[in-house]
Amino acid sequence: MRTIRGRIFIALIIVMIFSVFTSVYMVDRLVDGMLMDQARNQLHIQMEKGIQIIEGGDPEDLSSDDLELRFRDRMYYADFFILNKEDKIIAAGDDEMIGRTAHISMGRQDHFFELNQEKMMYTHQNLKNGLRIIVYTPMDILNQVSDRILHISIRSVIISFVVIFIVGLWLVWNTTRPLMKLKEAVSRFEPSYRGARMPKGDDTEIGQLMNTFHTMSERIRLHHQQQTEFLQNISHELRTPLMSIQGYAEAIKDQVVSVEKGVEVVSTESKRLIQLVDKLLQLTRLETLDEVWKMTHVDLKELIEQAVQLLGPAASERQVKIEMHAAAMELAIPAEQIFQLTINFLQNAVRYAATEVVVTMEQTPSGFCIIVDDDGPGVPIAERQSVFERNYIGEAGVTGIGLAICKHIADKLQTKVECLESPNGGARFTFEYNIK
């Protein structure tokens, strides 16, 4: 079977069959060993009993009825015969055996011999006048007791096997059922369809797996929703300059506005459109390409000064002053990316500042930190994590791409950007870089 349920089921059956055969074999060996030991002890006890009877009278006073064997509260019998020096039987529990010759080993250990085609277990002892007594019992008695115990053990093992099999089957079913539900939910999952949800699990390993899929599906839905909102926002932002260009082009054609004014508007909106497309390309490149950024040895103060000069005209147009506090610091960094991050920080600050933007570069024990403060309205605490998302556009925002680019740059540099409250009353954006 190819399914997990089938494999676990087959593995359970194989393990249980192996366990049953192993248990039965071990029980059989254990029972045989215990019965053999018990039989030896019983024969030795009956041997001593028989010797006491003989020594107190005559060998003919001993009979088979005097020799009793007890196994598992059941009474059996032992038999005997006495040999003289010529190995002839002079007394026996069975009178028909008297006069026969029996060659029995008299070693230290107990032995077995055949009598009337039956296997006997015996023990022996020397008597006075060169006589020897042999006490024996048929092995069939031991086999009967062993079979009885083995049958009981087999029934117990089979009952245990059935119980364990039912419990195991229930466990397999309940273990794999959540996986089947998860499989069905995954097969039906669509990010744009809000009706189908991933099932939630419990605290077990499979439940944790289901919860992981549930969390992952929610992230996918959120990402899909953000993608949709982002495309809607970008479509709106692209549509605005295109409509302006189309409108003024038709106005020039119809001689509604002067060529000079129309060309100026078309040129302005075209630049805005190009900037928007450039940011989209840059964001897409950051998300899709795993390129190695070039490390350049630069003076960090000069890099920040260039960014401030580049944003100077836009700040002057809004009557916003940009202040810079930075000391010379030369080091090898991905200058192009950090310059782009600083530009985006400053663009965002100039857009929202009331009168002033302050950019600060501080040296840290492991690198440096760039801080941009403004005196604008600030960012609410609940939205400070969202400002770095692609679909987030503030009241004065344009595309919602700039800060998303900053976040991607920071992630690839394995550092962080943060949005905090500025001492100037507005927002503070920080970027901390650790030199590796």
Side-chain angles (χ1 to χ4, degrees), residues 315-370:
S316 298
E317 184 178 347
R318 295 196 69 254
Q319 297 181 353
V320 173
K321 179 183 177 182
I322 301 179
E323 291 187 8
M324 186 184 76
H325 303 285
M329 182 179 180
E330 295 187 0
L331 69 167
I333 58 174
E336 180 181 349
Q337 285 72 33
I338 293 179
F339 179 77
Q340 183 63 49
L341 181 143
T342 306
I343 286 289
N344 289 334
F345 272 3
L346 287 173
Q347 283 180 338
N348 185 77
V350 168
R351 188 176 299 119
Y352 286 94
T355 60
E356 183 182 41
V357 172
V358 180
V359 54
T360 307
M361 191 277 292
E362 296 179 353
Q363 187 172 358
T364 62
S366 57
F368 63 87
C369 181
I370 297 176

Side-chain angles (χ1 to χ4, degrees), residues 87-102:
D87 290 335
K88 287 187 177 181
I89 299 175
I90 61 174
D94 184 2
D95 294 338
E96 294 181 359
M97 296 181 61
I98 298 176
R100 294 183 185 181
T101 300

